[in-house]
Amino acid sequence: MKAASVVASILKREGVEFLIGYPVNQIIEAAAEADIRTIIVRQERTGLHMADAVSRVTSGDRIGVFAMQHGPGTENSFGGVAQAFGDSVPIVVLPGGYPRRLLNITPNFSSFLNYQHVTKWAEQVVLPEAVPDAMRRAFTQVKNGRPRPVLVEIPVDVMREEVPDGWQYTPTPRLRVAPDPKSVAALAAALVAAERPVIYAGQGVHYAKAWPQLRALAELLEAPVTTSLQGKSAFPENHPLSLGSGGRSISKQLHQFLKDADLIFGIGCSFATTNYGIAMPKGKRYAHATLDPLDINKDVPAELALVGDAALTLDALLLEVRDRLKGRPRGRGPAVTAEIKRLKDEWLAQWMPRLTQKTTPLSPYRVLWDLLHTVDVANTIITHDAGSPRDQISPFWECTTPLSYIGWGKTTQLGYGLGLAMGAKLAHPDKLCINVWGDAAIGFTGMDFETAARERIPILTVLLNNFSMAIELKVMKTATEKYRSTDISGNYADFAKALGGWGKRVTQPDDIVPAIKRAMAKTREGTPALLEFITEKAEDFSMFA
Ligand SMILES: Cc1ncc(C[n+]2csc(CCOP(=O)(O)OP(=O)(O)O)c2C)c(N)n1
Ligand SMILES: [Mg+2]
């Protein structure tokens, strides 16, 4: 068997159902021969984003895999891998490499060297017989420990060579790590003793599917819960104890409860400092439970810390907390939920004029509010993009089911959302998968709407077209005045049609809901739909100093 076919055979054994890629890479042909569906994108970055979503929306049960060619393919893929690294997403990246006689000779791009900083594991395979071992290592790494991309670079001449008979491959295990019982007891004691604890859940809860345990702990402690953007939907946001998700813009109740907290308990989160997450208040007591010890004491000093899988950690904490409470409720639930409700009502009342505004150009808030109230939220997977759309949607989109929102932002590549929606749709064909983006974002990856049409990946893409990079207006005042440097333009509804999808431009408030309904019907027929809403250059966000 040729090395490329051995790779395909291993992918099959690892349960990979589709290989997303861009030619030339011999693994693509070998995968098709092995009956793995090959999906060819229009540029590498989107393909990586699709693979990324497959892993995210399946809690890593299915790992997204992407293959591209040596040289330009590997050079052009950098953004996709870097984004997955930044947001800690487990994907397998299979670049071709220059033939061995040219490998690692300047100016030839080496994936092995260049991707070191954005992968948790990178190998270059120089002998065909080493392929099964390299793949075993890569899959073991991608499924275990902190989720992040892994990479195996196989030179084109190695791909064509025979792997000697007798090679073996057993699918790799997914192993879980439990926290130290002593530290669990100490953390449980602190949680029970705290007067105003706040639980901050990250995406570790999604990967461990620890949603029931998170809810049980919150209810037991009668403690409010928020999430990181990546962890959004880990806790039902219509639950009376929910503060909504963190992000650059947040709810008033979240702002207030964090300010007043006496103990912030992070579970399955990194607490990494980021512009696109909550700024953790200084001078608070922190308890931190996460999978990767490298995150402990990194950005926030943790008085108490646990290392382990989020589900095993919460299981252990639940036992300890129950043991301490001895069936006696903390008794603060009614007061806490009443306070959350009061603040939430105040906050929504303040925003309601924007969320229901009747003016044209449309308020982006109105568009997103109508979207929220038109789709079946529980059976939708939605993602934002970089720019204002992220900050306009994340605090107001109320998730009720796990993994119904793909939140991101440790790095924020414009155009990421399209591939995420497409990957989510591949993994969950029965759900409505939506990406919400601005007109700058579509400039990066918009051509891959054609992939959605050609491959029949019927997503709904919601474009907020304000003919501007509105989020940059404040920082590009002179350039805008003198040279119109933040202006951009396009007719994206026509663009969608030209690429084989369905498109509609919407300018009037009364047309928003009917257009969404038509677009949803199109997706059910198998056609991707693009709704282009002509919106104002909004500059107001739900942010607190
Ligand atoms: C690849 C990349 N380059 C630059 C940026 C910086 N950036 C963030 S948002 C933005 C403009 C967003 O404009 P648009 O998508 O139209 O959204 P708007 O703010 O107008 O609603 C820019 C330039 C980025 N996030 N990603
Ligand atoms: Mg814009």
Side-chain angles (χ1 to χ4, degrees):
M1 232 169 151
K2 300 232 184 308
S5 300
V6 168
V7 172
S9 162
I10 289 171
L11 295 181
K12 191 100 187 163
R13 288 175 216 203
E14 287 286 0
V16 174
E17 289 167 55
F18 19 72
L19 175 69
I20 304 161
Y22 199 81
V24 180
N25 182 313
Q26 291 155 71
I27 297 168
I28 298 172
E29 186 62 7
E33 284 164 8
D35 293 324
I36 296 173
R37 177 179 169 190
T38 52
I39 296 170
I40 304 302
V41 284
R42 296 302 293 263
Q43 73 141 321
E44 290 82 0
R45 212 182 101 189
T46 308
L48 284 149
H49 297 336
M50 289 167 68
D52 173 321
V54 169
S55 302
R56 282 189 192 235
V57 300
T58 62
S59 298
D61 286 345
R62 290 156 77 185
I63 296 289
V65 184
F66 182 80
M68 69 289 202
Q69 86 151 67
H70 65 285
T74 53
E75 291 157 8
N76 203 37
S77 295
F78 205 88
V81 182
Q83 180 70 55
F85 182 82
D87 266 337
S88 282
V89 185
I91 54 171
V92 173
V93 187
L94 299 173
Y98 279 89
R100 280 167 292 184
R101 68 191 163 81
L102 299 173
L103 191 64
N104 305 325
I105 296 172
T106 195
N108 302 328
F109 186 91
S110 161
S111 289
F112 173 68
L113 290 178
N114 282 290
Y115 281 96
Q116 292 290 334
H117 184 58
V118 292
T119 54
K120 67 184 271 196
W121 186 264
E123 263 195 72
Q124 197 173 54
V125 184
V126 291
L127 294 169
E129 55 265 41
V131 164
D133 288 346
M135 293 300 288
R136 186 193 64 235
R137 285 188 284 267
F139 268 100
T140 304
Q141 292 303 320
V142 83
K143 288 189 199 172
N144 290 289
R146 196 225 188 90
R148 269 185 168 162
V150 299
L151 177 145
V152 180
E153 179 182 22
I154 308 181
V156 290
D157 55 334
V158 175
M159 296 248 207
R160 279 192 291 267
E161 283 187 5
E162 290 287 324
V163 176
D165 284 348
W167 65 273
Q168 288 184 343
Y169 192 86
T170 310
T172 52
R174 214 171 155 189
L175 307 164
R176 299 201 297 164
V177 185
D180 179 347
K182 264 196 196 152
S183 313
V184 173
L187 206 151
L191 283 175
V192 170
E195 290 296 328
R196 294 177 308 281
V198 170
I199 301 176
Y200 175 66
Q203 64 180 333
V205 174
H206 284 319
Y207 282 102
K209 299 182 193 165
W211 313 298
Q213 293 97 321
L214 174 63
R215 182 175 178 156
L217 185 70
E219 288 173 354
L220 200 56
L221 291 169
E222 298 162 57
V225 181
T226 181
T227 67
S228 63
L229 261 187
Q230 289 78 358
K232 188 169 168 74
S233 79
F235 188 77
E237 295 182 321
N238 56 352
H239 190 290
L241 285 169
S242 173
L243 299 170
S245 63
R248 185 162 169 266
S249 54
I250 60 172
S251 72
K252 183 173 184 174
Q253 55 273 29
L254 172 51
H255 172 68
Q256 194 59 46
F257 269 83
L258 267 188
K259 216 165 80 177
D260 296 342
D262 64 347
L263 178 68
I264 298 171
F265 168 46
I267 169 73
C269 70
S270 66
F271 273 130
T273 304
T274 164
N275 269 348
Y276 309 103
I278 317 166
M280 285 295 157
K282 294 257 180 290
K284 297 281 177 192
R285 296 172 63 220
Y286 286 93
H288 193 180
T290 194
L291 193 55
D292 189 348
L294 289 178
D295 281 330
I296 304 287
N297 276 334
K298 184 168 71 69
D299 297 67
V300 302
E303 184 183 310
L304 297 140
L306 291 181
V307 173
D309 166 87
L312 294 179
T313 298
L314 288 170
D315 283 342
L317 274 173
L318 277 168
L319 282 177
E320 287 284 343
V321 170
R322 279 201 186 103
D323 193 46
R324 283 175 165 73
L325 291 179
K326 302 207 181 349
R328 286 190 303 270
R330 295 294 281 106
R332 61 180 162 227
V336 169
T337 54
E339 179 69 355
I340 293 174
K341 186 175 180 316
R342 185 181 67 78
L343 291 164
K344 184 175 176 179
D345 290 348
E346 262 178 44
W347 174 64
L348 281 179
Q350 184 200 331
W351 277 90
M352 206 44 74
R354 292 291 277 141
L355 296 164
T356 56
Q357 201 164 318
K358 289 189 175 65
T359 47
T360 56
L362 302 168
S363 150
Y365 289 101
R366 163 80 192 258
V367 172
L368 298 171
W369 191 248
D370 281 359
L371 185 68
L372 175 68
H373 294 99
T374 307
V375 305
D376 172 9
V377 177
N379 289 302
T380 294
I381 301 176
I382 190 164
T383 189
H384 55 249
D385 215 287
S388 315
R390 175 198 52 238
D391 307 328
Q392 288 157 348
I393 192 171
S394 73
F396 298 105
W397 193 270
E398 201 168 271
C399 297
T400 55
T401 47
L403 294 170
S404 56
Y405 191 102
I406 306 178
W408 48 277
K410 288 290 159 39
T411 173
T412 50
Q413 291 191 33
L414 281 166
Y416 183 25
L418 177 73
L420 287 177
M422 289 166 65
K425 188 73 183 171
L426 276 177
H428 293 300
D430 297 338
K431 301 208 170 177
L432 173 66
C433 298
I434 310 176
N435 74 300
V436 176
W437 53 353
D439 47 331
I442 196 174
F444 283 80
T445 54
M447 271 308 294
D448 268 298
F449 189 76
E450 189 274 339
T451 304
R454 173 173 36 88
E455 290 283 350
R456 290 186 75 80
I457 308 171
I459 54 153
L460 168 57
T461 186
V462 171
L463 182 75
L464 304 176
N465 186 2
N466 51 16
F467 301 98
S468 171
M469 300 185 214
I471 207 166
E472 310 301 351
L473 289 171
K474 280 196 184 80
V475 292
M476 290 172 65
K477 274 206 175 83
T478 309
T480 299
E481 270 169 38
K482 278 189 170 170
Y483 305 115
R484 309 307 313 163
S485 298
T486 48
D487 285 7
I488 41 179
S489 81
N491 180 331
Y492 304 99
D494 284 356
F495 170 79
K497 288 181 221 164
L499 294 182
W502 183 85
K504 186 165 174 55
R505 181 176 269 199
V506 182
T507 57
Q508 300 302 315
D510 288 344
D511 295 340
I512 299 173
V513 171
I516 294 169
K517 288 186 176 158
R518 274 189 74 193
M520 286 165 62
K522 282 289 158 193
T523 67
R524 284 193 294 269
E525 291 166 18
T527 306
L530 185 152
L531 285 172
E532 180 190 24
F533 294 99
I534 304 302
T535 55
E536 35 151 313
K537 299 174 180 49
E539 290 186 88
D540 52 339
F541 302 109
S542 183
M543 287 166 73
F544 300 83

